Every structure is written in structure tokens, then in C-alpha cells.
Amino acid sequence: MKTLQFPQRGFSLIELMMVVAIIGIISAIAYPSYTKHVIKSNRAAAQAHLLEIATAQTQYLADARTYACSVSTLGLTTPTAVSQKYTIELPAANCGATIYKITATPIATGPQANDGTLSLDQSGAKLPAALW
């Protein structure tokens, strides 16, 4: 009686380990790039919100002849995507003055914590220039 021989199916351990090594190498390269991209997009959202506040401050100055003391006075709310990563401040020292400085300080946890503090003043000066 003749036995039937079927072709072997499946992967050998060496083939499986090669695939795992290739995936490891690709992810070691891709993850830092992805993290940098996320930090950059969060920074862009904060910058856009600072510019929105600056525009609202200009409109508020035209009406009240002084700058607003808070973001809520301007009728704005900080988007959730920004408030989870940055603290937006209008310093109280400039309350009711003819100058302002808006700052976006990264929250101390997560990858965004190493990002620098962004600021924008009434003259349009954006600091630090390297992050804008």
C-alpha cells in the first residue's frame, strides 16, 4: 500500500524570527518619526490658537480701548486638542493694559513636555522663533 505525501505547510522558526527582526527594525525607525510628527502637529494647533487669540485681542482693543484679561473674556474657548497638551495664559499683570503677551506652556507630562514655551505679543513677535 502506498502512502500519500502532502507538502509541508507552515513556517519554520527561522523564517518567523526573520519576520520579527524585520518588524523590529522598521518600528525602531518609524516610532521616533511618528512621535516627532505628533509633537509638531500639537505645536501647530497651539500656534493656530495663539493667532486666533491675537486676532480676537485686536478686535477687543478696537471696542474697549484695552486688551482683554482672559481668553474667556474674548469669547473664545481653548480647543480640547490644545488644552490637553498646553496651558494657555494671558498674564494678569497686563490686564487692562495696552500690551499683551499670550503664552502656551507645554503640560509637564507626555512627549510634548520637552517642547518649548510659545509666546506671542501685541507687536506680533513670536518667540522662540525656532519653534514658529
Side-chain angles (χ1 to χ4, degrees):
M1 196 172 223
K2 199 175 191 187
T3 60
L4 296 174
Q5 296 225 350
F6 296 104
Q8 290 185 345
R9 296 179 187 239
F11 301 104
S12 70
L13 183 59
I14 293 174
E15 291 170 329
L16 185 61
M17 293 308 293
M18 296 268 299
V19 170
V20 169
I22 291 169
I23 290 172
I25 291 168
I26 291 172
S27 64
I29 294 169
Y31 184 72
S33 296
Y34 171 74
T35 303
K36 287 179 187 177
H37 175 71
V38 168
I39 290 170
K40 190 175 178 181
S41 66
N42 289 336
R43 183 185 314 129
Q47 291 168 342
H49 185 58
L50 291 181
L51 292 171
E52 179 184 18
I53 294 170
T55 301
Q57 282 283 40
T58 304
Q59 293 171 348
Y60 191 86
L61 177 66
D63 294 336
R65 308 238 186 259
T66 184
Y67 289 113
C69 300
S70 68
V71 176
S72 60
T73 304
L74 296 170
L76 298 175
T77 56
T78 302
T80 306
V82 175
S83 65
Q84 290 176 346
K85 305 295 180 188
Y86 289 91
T87 302
I88 306 295
E89 297 173 310
L90 285 169
N94 296 335
C95 188
T98 56
I99 61 169
Y100 70 84
K101 183 177 183 180
I102 314 162
T103 59
T105 307
I107 294 177
T109 58
Q112 205 73 33
N114 296 329
D115 202 15
T117 299
L118 302 169
S119 68
L120 179 64
D121 66 15
Q122 77 284 346
S123 67
K126 301 170 182 175
L127 297 173
L131 292 179
W132 285 84

